[in-house]
Amino acid sequence: MAALQRWAIRIRGQVQGVGFRPFVYRLATQRGLSGFVRNDGAGVAIEVQGSPAVLDDFINALRQPPALARIDDLAVSDLIPDRNVGDTFAIVASSGGPVTAEIAPDSAICPACLAELFDPRDRRYRYPFINCTDCGPRYTITAALPYDRPNTSMAGFALCPDCALEYGDPGNRRFHAQPNACALCGPELNWRDASGRPMVAADVIEAALARLLAGDILAIKGLGGFHLVCDAQNPAAVARLRQRKQRDAKPFAVMAANAASLAAWADINPTERRWLESPQRPIVLLRQHPETERRLPDIAPGLAHLGAMLPYTPLHYLLFHEAAGRPTGTAWLETIQPLLLVMTSANPGGEPLVIGDEEAARRLAGIADGFVSHNRAILARCDDSVVTDGGFIRRARGYTPQAIRLPGAGPSVLAFGGFLKNTVCLTRDDRAYLSPHIGSLDNAETCRALEEAVEHLQDILRIEPERIACDLHPDFPSSRLAARYAAKQDLPCIAVQHHHAHIAAIIAEHGLREPILGLALDGVGLGADGGIWGGELLKVDGARFERLGHLRPLPLPGGDRAAREPWRLAAAALHELGRSDEISRRFGARATVVRQMLERRINTPETSSAGRLFDAAAALLGVRELSDYEGQAAMELEALAHRHGPAAPLAGGFVLNDDGLLDFFPLLAWLSEGVAAELGAACFHATLASALSEWLAWARKISGIRKVALGGGCFLNRLLTTQLRAGLEKAGWQVLTARQTPPNDGGLSLGQAWVAMQSDF
Ligand code: ZN
Ligand code: ZN
Ligand code: FE
């Protein structure tokens, strides 16, 4: 018989709160190994004793972890065998020590829990807080590491005997499931009227569904915040929600019981279906059917896509179950269910998502007709994530705080992000942790939420940053906060140019170390020369960048105001084309002042922004003169181009100068001559794609580089991205796009952090 050996195994990665210790326990006891496993600050520590062959087999089995777990690092070292240990394997209490483990993201209810939820004989039949080690809340209920019940919002719920048995039984699916609970011992639903007063309902689910079907708007507490919910097929209810939320045109997301039910409203390709059904359950932008906009007026007006998701909490599922007549079992979930709910973040007027009950009653007063809530607190705000089949638009619930691996290790950086769609990023070694989407810092509440997010991220990661990073624009609230933080902690604060950060974010997630070309097509960001940039061709090399070229600037009559008023960009283009006399004819009396501004260059800075080029095109085509939200005109142009189908680029639609200036004024001139909107939009996209390819070919000639990163908000435009990528790849380019973060300002903090990590100062 081979001599006994004793091994110490340390595992890093996402290994806490995901059923990892019972998994280790099962593997060890099945093999008759003795020893123990415990959580510690770095992840999971195992000591295990047995014969070398069995130990080897044990290690191999460890490498296929449970559904929600992820092993980044597994290290084995030899210990002196202990002759006095018995043959038992135990799960022992967490040790203290420095914390570097990761908390898992929240996960949708798993199939095993769903089966129990709809089984009338199960003790958790219709219990809205059912979960297990393979599913349920994590990040949003956790205040600190290690991930143990006292550090979560389950701390106040003592386990009943049955739940305690499960919790303590290593063979049970709920062994050490921190949020484990049942109707006897766990959280419960509550039901309040519009003014927040408690209401009595024999069955809250039944009452809530009845109110929704009667056209009411309910605030329903989810995983990372409240949703405002109504019947998507009731136009009056949707219109009322829009009016109360003061959201004129921004699209609402919808929820259906399953992908089959969504297929009635939109096309779903296999990638989109995988996203929809993944345990992260993001909102997926699906191509609306042509008649959907008419059948669901006001949900996604004027857009090509419908934002849709599947239920992810037991509570969501119970609403659909109720609508289906409380069928037994889960077979009903395989069939088409007609219920379609609007599920929009409860964030009045662009402020942060509401998470607290008292806060909900106060901030949603006048919006919600009732509140479906519960007594399990949300400790971290986390919006729904939004994706397309091309990648993220918003990275939050289901993904936060999962680490992004960087190309290398470096000093810990805390990066404060930009102004719109703000996120923050904290790094340790070669890992970057992004906060969930925080929002646009145009109001005091969101700025406070940014400070909270910084604190929470530090609490759950316990990282002391060594460097601070922010945008080059000193007046962003995020930049001011960064400067204050750096001064207080006596840390260097590195200001990173906006478009450099956009490209660096892509470089960071793709693990690149060499110089690369970056095409940043964006709204606006402060340039290194003090100008307003946004259509940039950069060469990026670590902490340095060079501006090789940019779009021909457009005047911005009225400055920032022009970003919300595409017609001003159209007026500017006409002025530059020497056709000022047409401005008033097209845009009426309001245009007289703008024409004077343009002629006298008063309050008229210039911008090379690609976003503003889309605005000018949309207004010249008569598609949109005023926008309700950033990017609206561009999204509508994309929708029109989709409707038109493939088009050829406009011959002579652009001029590329030797100095790298790319000029689309010939294209704008053509668009202003009464072209049909759909044709114009399609041609606009095609001309952009072909001109950008030519621009890059020019840059390749002078730089010798054949790798390009496509960054900036304009690359949310699927049509442009697909066309450009196809052309570039055919010409031998390696094209990198944002995959783990959005290409828009939601990814800026990652890029800032990576630049700051590489800076010498
Ligand atoms: Zn489960
Ligand atoms: Zn219980
Ligand atoms: Fe940007």
mmCIF file of all heavy atoms in Angstrom, residues 299-332:
data_model
loop_
_atom_site.group_PDB
_atom_site.id
_atom_site.type_symbol
_atom_site.label_atom_id
_atom_site.label_comp_id
_atom_site.label_asym_id
_atom_site.label_seq_id
_atom_site.Cartn_x
_atom_site.Cartn_y
_atom_site.Cartn_z
ATOM 1 N N ILE A 299 -43.740 51.195 -26.492
ATOM 2 C CA ILE A 299 -42.757 50.391 -25.758
ATOM 3 C C ILE A 299 -41.347 50.718 -26.262
ATOM 4 O O ILE A 299 -40.465 51.030 -25.468
ATOM 5 C CB ILE A 299 -43.041 48.875 -25.915
ATOM 6 C CG1 ILE A 299 -44.418 48.537 -25.343
ATOM 7 C CG2 ILE A 299 -41.941 48.047 -25.268
ATOM 8 C CD1 ILE A 299 -44.478 48.365 -23.856
ATOM 9 N N ALA A 300 -41.147 50.632 -27.580
ATOM 10 C CA ALA A 300 -39.840 50.980 -28.159
ATOM 11 C C ALA A 300 -40.080 51.802 -29.415
ATOM 12 O O ALA A 300 -39.775 51.380 -30.520
ATOM 13 C CB ALA A 300 -39.041 49.717 -28.474
ATOM 14 N N PRO A 301 -40.638 53.015 -29.250
ATOM 15 C CA PRO A 301 -41.084 53.790 -30.415
ATOM 16 C C PRO A 301 -39.937 54.160 -31.352
ATOM 17 O O PRO A 301 -38.907 54.652 -30.915
ATOM 18 C CB PRO A 301 -41.722 55.041 -29.796
ATOM 19 C CG PRO A 301 -41.203 55.103 -28.388
ATOM 20 C CD PRO A 301 -40.905 53.698 -27.981
ATOM 21 N N GLY A 302 -40.131 53.873 -32.634
ATOM 22 C CA GLY A 302 -39.185 54.292 -33.667
ATOM 23 C C GLY A 302 -37.903 53.483 -33.717
ATOM 24 O O GLY A 302 -36.989 53.828 -34.453
ATOM 25 N N LEU A 303 -37.812 52.419 -32.924
ATOM 26 C CA LEU A 303 -36.552 51.691 -32.844
ATOM 27 C C LEU A 303 -36.644 50.325 -33.528
ATOM 28 O O LEU A 303 -37.715 49.763 -33.671
ATOM 29 C CB LEU A 303 -36.138 51.500 -31.378
ATOM 30 C CG LEU A 303 -36.001 52.806 -30.582
ATOM 31 C CD1 LEU A 303 -35.573 52.507 -29.160
ATOM 32 C CD2 LEU A 303 -34.994 53.741 -31.248
ATOM 33 N N ALA A 304 -35.472 49.824 -33.918
ATOM 34 C CA ALA A 304 -35.431 48.519 -34.577
ATOM 35 C C ALA A 304 -35.559 47.394 -33.564
ATOM 36 O O ALA A 304 -35.984 46.300 -33.897
ATOM 37 C CB ALA A 304 -34.117 48.380 -35.346
ATOM 38 N N HIS A 305 -35.186 47.679 -32.309
ATOM 39 C CA HIS A 305 -35.081 46.612 -31.327
ATOM 40 C C HIS A 305 -36.038 46.755 -30.147
ATOM 41 O O HIS A 305 -36.412 47.853 -29.766
ATOM 42 C CB HIS A 305 -33.644 46.544 -30.793
ATOM 43 C CG HIS A 305 -32.651 46.207 -31.860
ATOM 44 N ND1 HIS A 305 -31.996 47.162 -32.603
ATOM 45 C CD2 HIS A 305 -32.231 45.010 -32.331
ATOM 46 C CE1 HIS A 305 -31.210 46.575 -33.481
ATOM 47 N NE2 HIS A 305 -31.328 45.273 -33.345
ATOM 48 N N LEU A 306 -36.386 45.595 -29.603
ATOM 49 C CA LEU A 306 -37.222 45.522 -28.407
ATOM 50 C C LEU A 306 -36.366 44.911 -27.299
ATOM 51 O O LEU A 306 -35.780 43.843 -27.482
ATOM 52 C CB LEU A 306 -38.427 44.622 -28.706
ATOM 53 C CG LEU A 306 -39.384 44.305 -27.555
ATOM 54 C CD1 LEU A 306 -40.143 45.550 -27.116
ATOM 55 C CD2 LEU A 306 -40.379 43.216 -27.971
ATOM 56 N N GLY A 307 -36.279 45.577 -26.147
ATOM 57 C CA GLY A 307 -35.512 45.042 -25.013
ATOM 58 C C GLY A 307 -36.374 44.038 -24.263
ATOM 59 O O GLY A 307 -37.463 44.368 -23.820
ATOM 60 N N ALA A 308 -35.894 42.804 -24.132
ATOM 61 C CA ALA A 308 -36.718 41.770 -23.517
ATOM 62 C C ALA A 308 -35.878 40.914 -22.589
ATOM 63 O O ALA A 308 -34.684 40.744 -22.785
ATOM 64 C CB ALA A 308 -37.337 40.889 -24.602
ATOM 65 N N MET A 309 -36.538 40.384 -21.558
ATOM 66 C CA MET A 309 -35.843 39.458 -20.662
ATOM 67 C C MET A 309 -36.816 38.404 -20.169
ATOM 68 O O MET A 309 -38.033 38.535 -20.310
ATOM 69 C CB MET A 309 -35.192 40.203 -19.494
ATOM 70 C CG MET A 309 -36.152 40.934 -18.585
ATOM 71 S SD MET A 309 -35.242 41.795 -17.270
ATOM 72 C CE MET A 309 -36.337 43.194 -16.993
ATOM 73 N N LEU A 310 -36.243 37.364 -19.590
ATOM 74 C CA LEU A 310 -37.044 36.295 -19.006
ATOM 75 C C LEU A 310 -37.045 36.467 -17.491
ATOM 76 O O LEU A 310 -36.172 37.130 -16.932
ATOM 77 C CB LEU A 310 -36.469 34.935 -19.402
ATOM 78 C CG LEU A 310 -36.407 34.682 -20.909
ATOM 79 C CD1 LEU A 310 -35.961 33.249 -21.183
ATOM 80 C CD2 LEU A 310 -37.753 34.957 -21.580
ATOM 81 N N PRO A 311 -38.027 35.861 -16.799
ATOM 82 C CA PRO A 311 -38.093 35.978 -15.340
ATOM 83 C C PRO A 311 -36.788 35.482 -14.715
ATOM 84 O O PRO A 311 -36.165 34.559 -15.247
ATOM 85 C CB PRO A 311 -39.245 35.046 -14.965
ATOM 86 C CG PRO A 311 -40.006 34.806 -16.216
ATOM 87 C CD PRO A 311 -39.069 34.989 -17.349
ATOM 88 N N TYR A 312 -36.375 36.114 -13.619
ATOM 89 C CA TYR A 312 -35.169 35.609 -12.957
ATOM 90 C C TYR A 312 -35.342 35.394 -11.462
ATOM 91 O O TYR A 312 -34.596 34.649 -10.858
ATOM 92 C CB TYR A 312 -33.939 36.455 -13.261
ATOM 93 C CG TYR A 312 -34.060 37.944 -13.026
ATOM 94 C CD1 TYR A 312 -33.749 38.509 -11.798
ATOM 95 C CD2 TYR A 312 -34.440 38.789 -14.060
ATOM 96 C CE1 TYR A 312 -33.834 39.881 -11.597
ATOM 97 C CE2 TYR A 312 -34.536 40.157 -13.869
ATOM 98 C CZ TYR A 312 -34.224 40.700 -12.633
ATOM 99 O OH TYR A 312 -34.308 42.044 -12.443
ATOM 100 N N THR A 313 -36.317 36.037 -10.836
ATOM 101 C CA THR A 313 -36.561 35.739 -9.417
ATOM 102 C C THR A 313 -37.761 34.803 -9.328
ATOM 103 O O THR A 313 -38.608 34.767 -10.229
ATOM 104 C CB THR A 313 -36.872 37.005 -8.599
ATOM 105 O OG1 THR A 313 -38.123 37.539 -9.055
ATOM 106 C CG2 THR A 313 -35.784 38.058 -8.760
ATOM 107 N N PRO A 314 -37.871 34.064 -8.196
ATOM 108 C CA PRO A 314 -39.071 33.241 -8.002
ATOM 109 C C PRO A 314 -40.335 34.096 -8.077
ATOM 110 O O PRO A 314 -41.346 33.665 -8.636
ATOM 111 C CB PRO A 314 -38.870 32.662 -6.601
ATOM 112 C CG PRO A 314 -37.406 32.757 -6.325
ATOM 113 C CD PRO A 314 -36.877 33.896 -7.127
ATOM 114 N N LEU A 315 -40.249 35.328 -7.567
ATOM 115 C CA LEU A 315 -41.407 36.220 -7.591
ATOM 116 C C LEU A 315 -41.873 36.495 -9.025
ATOM 117 O O LEU A 315 -43.076 36.452 -9.321
ATOM 118 C CB LEU A 315 -41.042 37.526 -6.864
ATOM 119 C CG LEU A 315 -42.050 38.665 -6.868
ATOM 120 C CD1 LEU A 315 -43.395 38.223 -6.301
ATOM 121 C CD2 LEU A 315 -41.530 39.855 -6.067
ATOM 122 N N HIS A 316 -40.924 36.774 -9.931
ATOM 123 C CA HIS A 316 -41.302 36.962 -11.341
ATOM 124 C C HIS A 316 -42.034 35.723 -11.865
ATOM 125 O O HIS A 316 -43.087 35.824 -12.494
ATOM 126 C CB HIS A 316 -40.069 37.166 -12.237
ATOM 127 C CG HIS A 316 -39.267 38.389 -11.929
ATOM 128 N ND1 HIS A 316 -37.918 38.471 -12.181
ATOM 129 C CD2 HIS A 316 -39.624 39.579 -11.398
ATOM 130 C CE1 HIS A 316 -37.476 39.656 -11.819
ATOM 131 N NE2 HIS A 316 -38.490 40.351 -11.337
ATOM 132 N N TYR A 317 -41.442 34.557 -11.594
ATOM 133 C CA TYR A 317 -42.046 33.321 -12.091
ATOM 134 C C TYR A 317 -43.439 33.122 -11.527
ATOM 135 O O TYR A 317 -44.349 32.638 -12.206
ATOM 136 C CB TYR A 317 -41.152 32.114 -11.770
ATOM 137 C CG TYR A 317 -40.133 31.851 -12.850
ATOM 138 C CD1 TYR A 317 -38.803 32.176 -12.664
ATOM 139 C CD2 TYR A 317 -40.520 31.298 -14.082
ATOM 140 C CE1 TYR A 317 -37.864 31.948 -13.671
ATOM 141 C CE2 TYR A 317 -39.591 31.066 -15.088
ATOM 142 C CZ TYR A 317 -38.270 31.389 -14.885
ATOM 143 O OH TYR A 317 -37.359 31.169 -15.886
ATOM 144 N N LEU A 318 -43.639 33.501 -10.261
ATOM 145 C CA LEU A 318 -44.951 33.303 -9.639
ATOM 146 C C LEU A 318 -46.028 34.149 -10.316
ATOM 147 O O LEU A 318 -47.187 33.735 -10.404
ATOM 148 C CB LEU A 318 -44.874 33.597 -8.136
ATOM 149 C CG LEU A 318 -44.145 32.501 -7.342
ATOM 150 C CD1 LEU A 318 -43.851 32.962 -5.919
ATOM 151 C CD2 LEU A 318 -44.971 31.206 -7.324
ATOM 152 N N LEU A 319 -45.650 35.336 -10.811
ATOM 153 C CA LEU A 319 -46.633 36.164 -11.523
ATOM 154 C C LEU A 319 -47.086 35.457 -12.808
ATOM 155 O O LEU A 319 -48.280 35.422 -13.126
ATOM 156 C CB LEU A 319 -46.041 37.535 -11.846
ATOM 157 C CG LEU A 319 -45.844 38.481 -10.648
ATOM 158 C CD1 LEU A 319 -45.022 39.700 -11.057
ATOM 159 C CD2 LEU A 319 -47.193 38.924 -10.079
ATOM 160 N N PHE A 320 -46.127 34.894 -13.541
ATOM 161 C CA PHE A 320 -46.486 34.178 -14.777
ATOM 162 C C PHE A 320 -47.262 32.894 -14.460
ATOM 163 O O PHE A 320 -48.185 32.522 -15.182
ATOM 164 C CB PHE A 320 -45.227 33.888 -15.605
ATOM 165 C CG PHE A 320 -44.665 35.125 -16.254
ATOM 166 C CD1 PHE A 320 -43.649 35.844 -15.637
ATOM 167 C CD2 PHE A 320 -45.186 35.596 -17.451
ATOM 168 C CE1 PHE A 320 -43.157 37.011 -16.222
ATOM 169 C CE2 PHE A 320 -44.699 36.756 -18.042
ATOM 170 C CZ PHE A 320 -43.676 37.470 -17.418
ATOM 171 N N HIS A 321 -46.897 32.237 -13.366
ATOM 172 C CA HIS A 321 -47.565 31.017 -12.924
ATOM 173 C C HIS A 321 -49.027 31.307 -12.577
ATOM 174 O O HIS A 321 -49.948 30.566 -12.945
ATOM 175 C CB HIS A 321 -46.808 30.505 -11.688
ATOM 176 C CG HIS A 321 -47.298 29.212 -11.117
ATOM 177 N ND1 HIS A 321 -47.730 29.108 -9.807
ATOM 178 C CD2 HIS A 321 -47.419 27.968 -11.644
ATOM 179 C CE1 HIS A 321 -48.083 27.845 -9.570
ATOM 180 N NE2 HIS A 321 -47.900 27.135 -10.666
ATOM 181 N N GLU A 322 -49.225 32.442 -11.915
ATOM 182 C CA GLU A 322 -50.574 32.868 -11.546
ATOM 183 C C GLU A 322 -51.398 33.122 -12.814
ATOM 184 O O GLU A 322 -52.548 32.693 -12.926
ATOM 185 C CB GLU A 322 -50.480 34.150 -10.705
ATOM 186 C CG GLU A 322 -51.762 34.555 -10.013
ATOM 187 C CD GLU A 322 -52.148 33.595 -8.889
ATOM 188 O OE1 GLU A 322 -51.255 32.873 -8.388
ATOM 189 O OE2 GLU A 322 -53.344 33.558 -8.543
ATOM 190 N N ALA A 323 -50.773 33.829 -13.774
ATOM 191 C CA ALA A 323 -51.469 34.151 -15.021
ATOM 192 C C ALA A 323 -51.824 32.883 -15.790
ATOM 193 O O ALA A 323 -52.807 32.838 -16.530
ATOM 194 C CB ALA A 323 -50.604 35.072 -15.883
ATOM 195 N N ALA A 324 -51.019 31.831 -15.621
ATOM 196 C CA ALA A 324 -51.276 30.574 -16.327
ATOM 197 C C ALA A 324 -52.282 29.707 -15.573
ATOM 198 O O ALA A 324 -52.588 28.594 -16.011
ATOM 199 C CB ALA A 324 -49.963 29.819 -16.519
ATOM 200 N N GLY A 325 -52.785 30.192 -14.423
ATOM 201 C CA GLY A 325 -53.773 29.435 -13.656
ATOM 202 C C GLY A 325 -53.156 28.437 -12.674
ATOM 203 O O GLY A 325 -53.749 27.408 -12.371
ATOM 204 N N ARG A 326 -51.986 28.752 -12.173
ATOM 205 C CA ARG A 326 -51.277 27.927 -11.181
ATOM 206 C C ARG A 326 -51.140 26.460 -11.578
ATOM 207 O O ARG A 326 -51.497 25.560 -10.806
ATOM 208 C CB ARG A 326 -51.976 27.994 -9.818
ATOM 209 C CG ARG A 326 -51.817 29.337 -9.137
ATOM 210 C CD ARG A 326 -52.210 29.216 -7.682
ATOM 211 N NE ARG A 326 -52.523 30.541 -7.144
ATOM 212 C CZ ARG A 326 -53.015 30.765 -5.944
ATOM 213 N NH1 ARG A 326 -53.264 29.740 -5.132
ATOM 214 N NH2 ARG A 326 -53.260 31.989 -5.538
ATOM 215 N N PRO A 327 -50.616 26.201 -12.765
ATOM 216 C CA PRO A 327 -50.428 24.795 -13.147
ATOM 217 C C PRO A 327 -49.395 24.117 -12.241
ATOM 218 O O PRO A 327 -48.503 24.765 -11.710
ATOM 219 C CB PRO A 327 -49.891 24.876 -14.577
ATOM 220 C CG PRO A 327 -49.315 26.250 -14.690
ATOM 221 C CD PRO A 327 -50.125 27.123 -13.793
ATOM 222 N N THR A 328 -49.563 22.802 -12.081
ATOM 223 C CA THR A 328 -48.597 22.005 -11.319
ATOM 224 C C THR A 328 -47.443 21.605 -12.238
ATOM 225 O O THR A 328 -47.656 21.306 -13.413
ATOM 226 C CB THR A 328 -49.311 20.746 -10.776
ATOM 227 O OG1 THR A 328 -50.241 21.176 -9.781
ATOM 228 C CG2 THR A 328 -48.318 19.776 -10.137
ATOM 229 N N GLY A 329 -46.234 21.620 -11.693
ATOM 230 C CA GLY A 329 -45.076 21.210 -12.482
ATOM 231 C C GLY A 329 -44.532 22.343 -13.335
ATOM 232 O O GLY A 329 -44.970 23.499 -13.207
ATOM 233 N N THR A 330 -43.582 22.013 -14.224
ATOM 234 C CA THR A 330 -42.927 23.056 -15.012
ATOM 235 C C THR A 330 -43.191 22.922 -16.517
ATOM 236 O O THR A 330 -42.648 23.696 -17.307
ATOM 237 C CB THR A 330 -41.397 23.031 -14.785
ATOM 238 O OG1 THR A 330 -40.931 21.704 -15.014
ATOM 239 C CG2 THR A 330 -41.028 23.456 -13.381
ATOM 240 N N ALA A 331 -44.046 21.974 -16.908
ATOM 241 C CA ALA A 331 -44.295 21.783 -18.340
ATOM 242 C C ALA A 331 -44.868 23.056 -18.970
ATOM 243 O O ALA A 331 -44.566 23.379 -20.125
ATOM 244 C CB ALA A 331 -45.245 20.611 -18.555
ATOM 245 N N TRP A 332 -45.661 23.792 -18.197
ATOM 246 C CA TRP A 332 -46.269 25.023 -18.730
ATOM 247 C C TRP A 332 -45.211 26.021 -19.179
ATOM 248 O O TRP A 332 -45.459 26.855 -20.052
ATOM 249 C CB TRP A 332 -47.208 25.657 -17.693
ATOM 250 C CG TRP A 332 -46.501 26.159 -16.464
ATOM 251 C CD1 TRP A 332 -46.104 25.431 -15.380
ATOM 252 C CD2 TRP A 332 -46.104 27.515 -16.196
ATOM 253 N NE1 TRP A 332 -45.476 26.233 -14.458
ATOM 254 C CE2 TRP A 332 -45.471 27.518 -14.935
ATOM 255 C CE3 TRP A 332 -46.235 28.719 -16.897
ATOM 256 C CZ2 TRP A 332 -44.957 28.674 -14.364
ATOM 257 C CZ3 TRP A 332 -45.727 29.876 -16.333
ATOM 258 C CH2 TRP A 332 -45.089 29.849 -15.073
#
